[in-house]
Amino acid sequence: MDVGQIAGLIAAIAFAILAGFLIYPLIRLGKLFDQLAQTIKQTGDHVVPTLDESTSTVTQLNQTLTDVNRISAAASTTAGNVGALTDLYGSMLGKPVIKVAAFLYALRKTISSFLSGGRDSAGAKSSTAKKANDGHGNEGRTR
């Protein structure tokens, strides 16, 4: 054996030792890639049912929102109708009821004045005159 062959033998042994040290990390890296591929496959298997379920949830939510919109529109229409009905009753019944109440009040005052012999009306006039004169020269003026 000459020097060249010994140097080649040493280089071959060093290469074999280096290859031995590099094999272990490469095997670990291969296992990591296998686990990664398996995780991606499982994730893909679970994503499809989740997407289907979320699609059905969104569909149900849209239906519920449609129902809520329909209900709120009906409530708005009802509120408008109640307001219009209140205005109608107020204009048709309010003025006549006020006139009847004023007439009945005047009738009651007249009858009570007639029965008391006019004493209530004289007392009312004098108290009204006292109220009108406030002592500051403002007779009969309203503030």
Side-chain angles (χ1 to χ4, degrees):
M1 268 193 173
D2 64 347
V3 180
Q5 289 177 345
I6 292 176
L9 185 62
I10 290 174
I13 291 173
F15 182 74
I17 291 173
L18 181 65
F21 281 123
L22 291 177
I23 286 176
Y24 181 71
L26 288 175
I27 290 173
R28 297 275 300 180
L29 188 62
K31 287 181 182 178
L32 178 69
F33 283 141
D34 289 341
Q35 287 179 349
L36 186 63
Q38 186 179 11
T39 303
I40 289 173
K41 183 182 179 297
Q42 288 176 351
T43 303
D45 291 343
H46 292 292
V47 165
V48 173
T50 304
L51 286 176
D52 291 340
E53 189 173 324
S54 65
T55 302
S56 68
T57 302
V58 168
T59 303
Q60 290 174 352
L61 182 64
N62 284 338
Q63 180 63 34
T64 303
L65 288 175
T66 302
D67 293 342
V68 167
N69 285 340
R70 198 172 325 133
I71 290 169
S72 65
S76 175
T77 302
T78 302
N81 290 342
V82 167
L85 192 59
T86 302
D87 291 343
L88 178 68
Y89 281 134
S91 65
M92 291 189 66
L93 295 177
K95 291 178 183 176
V97 167
I98 291 172
K99 288 180 181 181
V100 167
F103 174 75
L104 290 176
Y105 178 76
L107 185 65
R108 189 181 81 201
K109 282 293 191 181
T110 304
I111 290 173
S112 69
S113 171
F114 181 73
L115 292 177
S116 67
R119 281 178 272 157
D120 287 343
S121 63
K125 287 180 184 175
S126 65
S127 67
T128 306
K130 288 179 185 176
K131 288 180 185 175
N133 185 1
D134 63 356
H136 297 289
N138 295 327
E139 292 91 13
R141 292 188 203 146
T142 59
R143 294 182 187 200

